[in-house]
Amino acid sequence: MRLLLTGIIAVLLSVNHVLAIEAVYIPQPRSNLDIGHEYHTSLLKKALIHGAKGRAIPIIKTSLHMPEARANYEVTKGEKVDVYWFGTDAKKERDMRAIRIPTSKGLIGYRRFIIHKDSIEKFDNIASLQALKQQTACLGAHWPDIRILQASDLPVVVNTMYENIFKRVHAKRCDYFPRAYHDGYNEVSVRKNRYPNLVHYEKIVLHYPFAVYFFTPKSKETLAAWIEDGLNAMIENGEFLRHMQSHLLTAHIFPLEQSADVRYINIPNPSLPEDTDWKNKKYWFQPSDFGFAENKKPALN
């Protein structure tokens, strides 16, 4: 019996050793003003804690500073980066292991704009997709949003460096920077000394089903399942929503209801995998959560 118990303990120790993950590497922040990086890093840490099941919690470490295209490559390769968060599309979900739980309940698909203060009156007169087509959006190179906007004939110019997008709007070299519902307010606030003419315009919401997921290399299924279990546990016990309601990135958006004068423009997302369950209220905010008509069809004019 003693030999049997010794053998069982040895097997359990061996399994725990296989499952042990000492460190998880992520890219460095895009800039020293990148609040979203801290939001996702702290959410990742909480997910690792909630999904640990008795295992030692890995240390989260930053590796290199890299643009999104490089981060995508490194996660796919699985050597310098173990996990990162991307706006999802079908190709990413083929190349990497997607943890299909939106990190902000799909808020990234509800877009409000960063514009130059001189453009306020112009945007006050935009009430349809057709009118928005007369303006040019600034987006980051390799972002999935590029294909989404272009599929609805919305003009787009791209920028390789994240910080240069704000510079370009401030210089009036494009008309608007469509930001996730929760991003624009903070992004303008922390840059008010550098770009004093930028404003966060809240009277238009451009919506398309879209989400940021955590991604890992396909070779690191243990880590992916750990994060997935942790996020689900956080949703079940309410910690996920509390994270959103308390973090600097997202706290200011609650409650979600909008004033009646907000113009809602809805477009499709052809880049989203067809089996994405974006109507699932457990994981995704719905238009009705904001006071928008949930059955409103994508704008065609």
Side-chain angles (χ1 to χ4, degrees):
M1 179 63 73
R2 183 176 295 176
L3 289 174
L4 178 60
L5 288 174
T6 300
I8 292 173
I9 292 171
V11 170
L12 290 175
L13 288 174
S14 175
V15 170
N16 283 335
H17 177 71
V18 170
L19 296 181
I21 301 172
E22 295 182 358
V24 172
Y25 284 89
I26 62 175
Q28 293 179 6
R30 294 174 295 182
S31 77
N32 59 358
L33 301 175
D34 187 2
I35 304 171
H37 190 278
E38 202 287 325
Y39 173 92
H40 283 91
T41 302
S42 56
L43 180 64
L44 176 60
K45 182 176 181 180
K46 291 177 182 178
L48 291 170
I49 292 171
H50 280 77
K53 300 178 181 178
R55 293 170 288 189
I57 310 301
I59 298 171
I60 299 174
K61 296 183 177 182
T62 56
S63 55
L64 304 172
H65 180 273
M66 55 187 74
E68 183 162 322
R70 170 76 184 279
N72 191 326
Y73 170 77
E74 292 295 347
V75 174
T76 302
K77 191 168 65 169
E79 295 177 2
K80 296 179 180 178
V81 177
D82 299 311
V83 60
Y84 198 47
W85 45 94
F86 299 105
T88 193
D89 59 31
K91 184 177 188 306
K92 287 188 181 74
E93 294 190 33
R94 289 193 301 269
D95 294 345
M96 296 175 280
R97 167 52 158 101
I99 298 162
R100 301 180 80 185
I101 299 174
T103 61
S104 58
K105 292 180 70 69
L107 274 180
I108 191 173
Y110 295 85
R111 295 285 169 141
R112 298 189 289 193
F113 303 158
I114 294 174
I115 65 175
H116 193 283
K117 67 179 183 179
D118 292 348
S119 299
I120 292 175
E121 183 176 355
K122 178 172 64 177
F123 277 85
D124 281 346
N125 291 311
I126 293 174
S128 67
L129 177 60
Q130 187 61 39
L132 189 59
K133 289 178 182 179
Q134 310 310 309
Q135 311 303 319
T136 299
C138 270
L139 289 171
H142 309 291
W143 290 6
D145 313 74
I146 297 170
R147 294 187 296 277
I148 298 169
L149 268 64
Q150 288 178 336
S152 289
D153 298 323
L154 290 167
V156 174
V157 295
V158 301
N159 300 263
T160 304
M161 300 300 294
Y162 170 68
E163 281 300 319
N164 285 345
I165 305 176
F166 301 96
K167 182 178 180 180
R168 193 163 191 164
V169 178
H170 193 261
K172 300 184 181 180
R173 294 201 296 271
C174 61
D175 299 300
Y176 67 105
F177 184 12
R179 299 303 292 135
Y181 195 84
H182 53 287
D183 279 335
Y185 175 83
N186 286 320
E187 289 176 329
V188 169
S189 296
V190 300
R191 293 171 178 82
K192 61 183 178 181
N193 292 329
R194 185 179 302 177
Y195 303 118
N197 293 324
L198 293 182
V199 296
H200 181 227
Y201 188 80
E202 301 183 14
K203 294 183 180 180
I204 294 174
V205 172
L206 175 66
H207 174 230
Y208 40 90
F210 193 37
V212 170
Y213 295 153
F214 286 117
F215 286 84
T216 71
K218 286 188 173 182
S219 60
K220 300 193 176 181
E221 177 59 30
T222 297
L223 174 60
W226 185 334
I227 297 168
E228 191 166 43
D229 288 346
L231 291 173
N232 272 312
M234 290 176 66
I235 290 170
E236 293 298 329
N237 67 20
E239 180 59 29
F240 193 102
L241 186 58
R242 285 192 292 272
H243 180 78
M244 294 188 66
Q245 291 173 333
S246 61
H247 196 278
L248 176 63
L249 182 70
T250 48
H252 62 280
I253 66 148
F254 294 96
L256 296 176
E257 292 84 0
Q258 291 298 298
S259 60
D261 65 342
V262 173
R263 283 146 281 146
Y264 176 64
I265 301 174
N266 186 26
I267 62 175
N269 179 358
S271 300
L272 203 65
E274 291 185 3
D275 64 342
T276 304
D277 190 15
W278 62 273
K279 290 289 188 180
N280 188 337
K281 294 185 178 182
K282 177 180 179 180
Y283 298 114
W284 296 74
F285 284 133
Q286 300 300 309
S288 58
D289 293 322
F290 301 82
F292 303 132
E294 193 162 5
N295 61 352
K296 190 171 183 178
K297 293 181 180 180
L300 298 177
N301 54 21

